[in-house]
Amino acid sequence: MKRFERFQAIQQLDPIRDTCTICRQLAGYEFPWDITRALEVALFRTFCVPSIATLLDRTAEFHHRSQKRYDDTGLMVSLILQWGYDTPKGQAVIQRMNQIHGHFPISNYDFVYVLSTFIYEPVRWIERFGWRPLSESEKQALFHFWVNVGKQMEIQDIPNTYAELEQYNLEYEREHFQYSEANQRVGKSTLKLFLSWFPLPLRPLIQPFVYAIMDDRILQAFGFPSPQPWQRRLLEHMLRSRGNLLRYFPPRQTPNFYSDEPQRSYPQGYDLTDLGPPHMLPKLNQSKP
């Protein structure tokens, strides 16, 4: 298969009817690394909202079990992309998410915003750093995929079009992104988690580049310091260079989902019932995914 053959095949699919197939191709074959990084940025963005950060701060999940909380979120998102929202396995994951969220007083407005980040952060990341841009059909497929997931989560009043939900996303951030101590505590715990993946001597060198991937609104909402301009330029150059080089690599022949990778929190493997705060939730009769 040549580099653009899969892209050409995707363009023959319908973004509504074939949304699960398209999103599986994007997440598993075309942009697995980029979508994972984009969803990490999305995670940070949601913590810039005091109502969301206060809830997470109060549960202390990101303070005491940050790796598990990260892995659980990554696994559930990845499993839905891998299996689709319209299969028994995908629906079991959504059921598990609904169980977890049902324990917390989360507003519908916050739900809609968080859902929107799963669409627009990957789109924005790939537009900046991907080895090729997304087509309009692919963007629509991402929109319809996550809107359908949102409906199965019983999220109400989701805007009806890609443009309307994007506008909601932007307006929500303008209105709700603001500094709070809860934001900062959750942001610092998440930053500490990310840095823990690197050798200890390298962490002080890497930390400014984590700041560099954040825009000014994120930094202000966390009370984080601004990186040096050269650090942002260097990071963007490296990410764009990676995308440009990938154009010359052969296409991926086997899918690479986050859910297929070894998990730090589950070195012996996991059941779907392991995901989420274990002391809160009833067990499901679910085999390993």
Side-chain angles (χ1 to χ4, degrees), residues 166-178:
E166 184 176 29
Q167 187 65 26
Y168 179 98
N169 172 276
L170 296 171
E171 291 178 356
Y172 182 99
E173 291 191 356
R174 282 194 290 267
E175 181 177 349
H176 293 278
F177 272 29
Q178 54 185 294

Side-chain angles (χ1 to χ4, degrees), residues 178-218:
Q178 54 185 294
Y179 171 80
S180 77
E181 291 183 358
N183 293 8
Q184 187 173 76
R185 285 191 292 269
V186 176
K188 283 183 175 179
S189 292
T190 309
L191 176 63
K192 183 179 178 181
L193 166 66
F194 286 2
L195 293 175
S196 73
W197 301 338
F198 300 93
L200 187 61
L202 295 180
R203 293 175 194 175
L205 301 175
I206 292 170
Q207 185 166 334
F209 291 96
V210 180
Y211 295 145
I213 203 62
M214 303 178 191
D215 60 43
D216 289 339
R217 282 192 294 180
I218 298 179

Side-chain angles (χ1 to χ4, degrees), residues 91-97 99 271-275 281-287:
Q91 290 171 358
V93 179
I94 296 172
Q95 180 187 356
R96 188 60 167 175
M97 288 199 303
Q99 285 185 315
D271 287 309
L272 186 56
T273 52
D274 296 325
L275 308 185
L281 300 173
K283 293 292 185 179
L284 292 173
N285 292 323
Q286 174 70 25
S287 61

Side-chain angles (χ1 to χ4, degrees), residues 2-44:
K2 296 181 180 178
R3 191 55 166 157
F4 283 90
E5 284 184 1
R6 185 176 289 113
F7 168 73
Q8 293 165 351
I10 291 172
Q11 301 318 297
Q12 304 306 310
L13 301 175
D14 183 270
I16 298 176
R17 184 187 67 243
D18 303 314
T19 177
C20 290
T21 300
I22 294 172
C23 289
R24 186 176 189 277
Q25 294 290 316
L26 295 178
Y29 291 89
E30 294 287 87
F31 303 103
W33 188 88
D34 296 276
I35 288 177
T36 299
R37 303 288 82 76
L39 293 176
E40 289 170 352
V41 175
L43 191 71
F44 266 115

Side-chain angles (χ1 to χ4, degrees), residues 27-227:
Y29 291 89
E30 294 287 87
F31 303 103
W33 188 88
D34 296 276
I35 288 177
T36 299
R37 303 288 82 76
L39 293 176
E40 289 170 352
V41 175
L43 191 71
F44 266 115
R45 298 195 84 84
T46 63
F47 302 158
C48 295
V49 181
S51 60
I52 296 174
T54 298
L55 175 61
L56 292 168
D57 187 46
R58 189 164 64 243
T59 64
E61 285 294 305
F62 261 102
H63 303 317
H64 303 309
R65 289 177 289 273
S66 56
Q67 185 65 61
K68 184 180 188 307
R69 178 66 168 76
Y70 173 89
D71 287 336
D72 289 355
T73 300
L75 285 168
M76 285 188 281
V77 171
S78 180
L79 288 168
I80 295 170
L81 286 164
Q82 185 172 7
W83 300 116
Y85 57 78
D86 56 354
T87 66
K89 288 183 177 180
Q91 290 171 358
V93 179
I94 296 172
Q95 180 187 356
R96 188 60 167 175
M97 288 199 303
N98 288 342
Q99 285 185 315
I100 295 168
H101 293 148
H103 287 274
F104 305 107
I106 306 170
S107 77
N108 192 73
Y109 298 106
D110 290 346
F111 266 130
V112 175
Y113 170 68
V114 173
L115 186 75
S116 74
T117 65
F118 294 138
I119 303 166
Y120 301 106
E121 289 310 309
V123 168
R124 292 162 187 163
W125 180 284
I126 291 168
E127 284 181 344
R128 292 174 68 191
F129 306 126
W131 67 271
R132 66 166 176 83
L134 292 173
S135 68
E136 288 304 313
S137 177
E138 290 168 329
K139 293 177 185 179
Q140 289 294 325
L142 284 167
F143 168 78
H144 288 289
F145 182 93
W146 287 111
V147 166
N148 280 307
V149 171
K151 289 177 179 177
Q152 292 195 25
M153 295 174 65
E154 299 184 357
I155 300 175
Q156 305 299 311
D157 302 320
I158 303 172
N160 292 321
T161 68
Y162 181 96
E164 289 171 348
L165 184 54
E166 184 176 29
Q167 187 65 26
Y168 179 98
N169 172 276
L170 296 171
E171 291 178 356
Y172 182 99
E173 291 191 356
R174 282 194 290 267
E175 181 177 349
H176 293 278
F177 272 29
Q178 54 185 294
Y179 171 80
S180 77
E181 291 183 358
N183 293 8
Q184 187 173 76
R185 285 191 292 269
V186 176
K188 283 183 175 179
S189 292
T190 309
L191 176 63
K192 183 179 178 181
L193 166 66
F194 286 2
L195 293 175
S196 73
W197 301 338
F198 300 93
L200 187 61
L202 295 180
R203 293 175 194 175
L205 301 175
I206 292 170
Q207 185 166 334
F209 291 96
V210 180
Y211 295 145
I213 203 62
M214 303 178 191
D215 60 43
D216 289 339
R217 282 192 294 180
I218 298 179
L219 295 171
Q220 292 165 8
F222 286 139
F224 285 169
S226 295

